[in-house]
Amino acid sequence: MGWFQKTITLAPRPRGFHLVTEEMERALPEISRLRVGMAHFFLQHTSASLCINENADPTVRADLEAQFNLLAPENASHYTHTTEGPDDMPAHIKSALIGTSLSVPVTNGRLNLGTWQGICLCEHRDRGGARRVVVTIEGQTE
């Protein structure tokens, strides 16, 4: 297969940590042909992030949201970037802490995530809109 690149647009979601593994896999049928490879996911935004975390118990994602809201609260008196709303600067901080890219191995046509792992879109804005993810895949089909 060599190299392949595609941009996926994820549906808009409210603020929080959302599992998007299945949405990503549906958008990437090309992975099914790979025996071994690597998929790199890059989110093209500065107020959201990507992470790999718990895929079974939704309270983990709720607790992550609550904890990050404590780490980067809205309306902090030291923020100077305030023109885009009270949720914007905290969103940039959260994105910087979590990150906007992931690499996931591909094995026998599937993302090789652990049993309890899923890809999460971390939406840090109240209304962030659709989010674009550039996926770059390299791998062997034989």
Side-chain angles (χ1 to χ4, degrees):
M1 174 180 199
W3 290 90
F4 173 80
Q5 191 170 76
K6 177 185 226 176
T7 300
I8 298 171
T9 301
L10 298 174
R13 288 172 169 78
R15 187 155 142 178
F17 286 66
H18 305 280
L19 282 174
V20 294
T21 311
E22 289 181 9
E23 188 174 351
M24 297 275 208
E25 289 175 330
R26 278 193 307 273
L28 295 166
E30 299 83 3
I31 287 177
S32 67
R33 298 192 307 258
L34 293 180
R35 184 178 58 80
V36 62
M38 184 65 67
H40 183 264
F41 300 86
F42 175 73
L43 183 69
Q44 294 183 305
H45 300 275
T46 62
S47 58
S49 53
L50 293 173
C51 74
I52 294 175
N53 218 297
E54 170 80 45
N55 68 359
D57 185 349
T59 62
V60 171
R61 293 185 302 280
D63 287 347
L64 284 167
E65 175 65 17
Q67 185 61 48
F68 274 93
N69 288 336
L70 291 173
L71 291 172
E74 291 187 8
N75 299 310
S77 62
H78 59 277
Y79 296 158
T80 58
H81 176 72
T82 58
T83 58
E84 296 180 55
D87 65 334
D88 189 53
M89 190 59 223
H92 292 303
I93 293 168
K94 294 169 189 177
S95 178
L97 291 171
I98 298 170
T100 57
S101 65
L102 302 170
S103 292
V104 179
V106 176
T107 306
N108 296 323
R110 306 236 13 201
L111 294 176
N112 197 346
L113 294 164
T115 302
W116 307 112
Q117 290 182 321
I119 298 172
C120 292
L121 170 68
C122 314
E123 179 54 68
H124 305 307
R125 297 296 307 265
D126 291 334
R127 287 172 289 287
R131 299 297 193 170
R132 290 178 319 280
V133 180
V134 177
V135 185
T136 304
I137 301 169
E138 196 274 328
Q140 296 178 341
T141 56
E142 303 171 7

